[in-house]
């Protein structure tokens, strides 16, 4: 994921503003974020053990004998090893806040699934803006037509250009005067 610059952050911060409009340059700025994949830091066995031990110290659990307790702990290791470390931390905090008893693997995984990292949040917001953000409609500056382009136009198109304000009578007269002057220059 690309590092978020101040400009990127300011564009993302406007995502929830109902009146926000985004320029093409702003959309281009956040498109790399929208295409990114949030990095994860996989939890190793030590991290899982520390998390489970902390939960066991804080929450009462069903009484088990030593063999069953080791088997249970090994199962937690196998099922949680490799999960996102930050998601595991989040799930453990949620369990401590919400549960009265030691959580099951399923309860931990449910809470991990609700975790959204700051990187993933930025990606989600960028994707939302790219897909749904209101675009600023910018009138492209009209480049003045060259005399050669004016000469190639039919009379109706020149007349319409003058009516709409894209061409002036002076421009048309100048362009056509050059055509009328060319045969005179050849004859001389």
């Amino acid at each position: 994921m690309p590092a978020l610059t101040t400009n990127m952050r300011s564009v993302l911060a406007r995502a929830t503003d109902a009146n926000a409009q985004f320029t093409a340059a702003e959309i281009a700025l956040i498109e790399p974020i929208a295409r990114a994949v949030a990095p994860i830091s996989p939890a190793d066995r030590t991290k899982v053990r520390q998390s489970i031990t902390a939960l066991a110290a804080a929450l009462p659990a069903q009484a088990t004998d030593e063999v069953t307790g080791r088997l249970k702990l090994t199962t937690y290791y196998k099922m949680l090893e490799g999960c996102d470390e930050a998601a595991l931390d989040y799930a453990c905090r949620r369990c401590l806040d919400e549960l009265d008893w030691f959580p099951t693997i399923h309860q931990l995984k449910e809470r991990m699934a609700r975790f959204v990292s700051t990187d993933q949040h930025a990606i989600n917001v960028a994707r939302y803006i790219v897909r749904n953000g209101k675009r600023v409609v910018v009138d492209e500056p009209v480049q003045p037509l060259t005399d050669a382009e004016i000469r190639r136009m039919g009379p109706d198109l020149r007349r319409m250009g003058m009516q709409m304000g894209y061409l002036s009578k002076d421009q048309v007269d100048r362009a056509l005067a050059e055509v009328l002057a060319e045969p005179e220059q050849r004859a001389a």
Side-chain angles (χ1 to χ4, degrees):
M1 164 137 165
L4 295 178
T5 64
T6 304
N7 291 342
M8 289 174 173
R9 288 179 199 279
S10 68
V11 172
L12 295 176
R14 294 184 5 242
T16 56
D17 181 2
N19 298 322
Q21 292 187 342
F22 302 93
T23 65
E26 289 172 327
I27 297 295
L29 184 67
I30 63 168
E31 279 181 330
I33 299 166
R35 289 190 304 267
V37 174
I40 67 164
S41 177
D44 59 11
R45 192 175 186 99
T46 303
K47 177 62 180 174
V48 174
R49 181 176 45 77
Q50 289 170 345
S51 298
I52 298 303
T53 303
L55 287 173
L59 297 171
Q62 179 182 11
T64 58
D65 61 22
E66 187 177 334
V67 174
T68 306
R70 286 185 186 178
L71 180 59
K72 185 176 180 180
L73 191 56
T74 302
T75 304
Y76 274 80
Y77 291 157
K78 288 195 181 299
M79 295 301 292
L80 298 174
E81 191 172 30
C83 68
D84 184 30
E85 198 171 302
L88 180 59
D89 286 340
Y90 170 82
C92 290
R93 284 193 311 275
R94 300 297 335 138
C95 286
L96 291 170
D97 284 343
E98 298 166 1
L99 301 177
D100 294 327
W101 290 89
F102 189 81
T104 63
I105 293 168
H106 180 74
Q107 289 172 321
L108 282 165
K109 285 186 170 186
E110 279 181 332
R111 284 157 181 82
M112 283 191 287
R114 290 187 225 137
F115 175 74
V116 178
S117 69
T118 54
D119 286 341
Q120 186 61 54
H121 177 70
I123 291 168
N124 293 347
V125 171
R127 287 177 182 167
Y128 173 81
I129 291 171
V130 169
R131 287 185 196 131
N132 304 314
K134 295 177 190 168
R135 306 296 203 269
V136 173
V137 178
V138 179
D139 289 335
E140 295 293 324
V142 177
Q143 297 294 327
L145 296 172
T146 64
D147 290 347
E149 290 170 326
I150 294 171
R151 284 193 296 273
R152 284 194 301 265
M153 291 179 175
D156 291 338
L157 193 54
R158 284 193 293 264
R159 190 172 26 262
M160 189 171 21
M162 287 189 293
Q163 288 172 348
M164 296 179 75
Y166 292 112
L167 292 173
S168 69
K169 176 99 169 90
D170 291 339
Q171 283 178 298
V172 174
D173 289 345
R174 185 183 66 239
L176 296 179
E178 290 177 18
V179 171
L180 296 174
E182 285 179 13
E184 292 173 9
Q185 290 173 355
R186 283 190 220 144

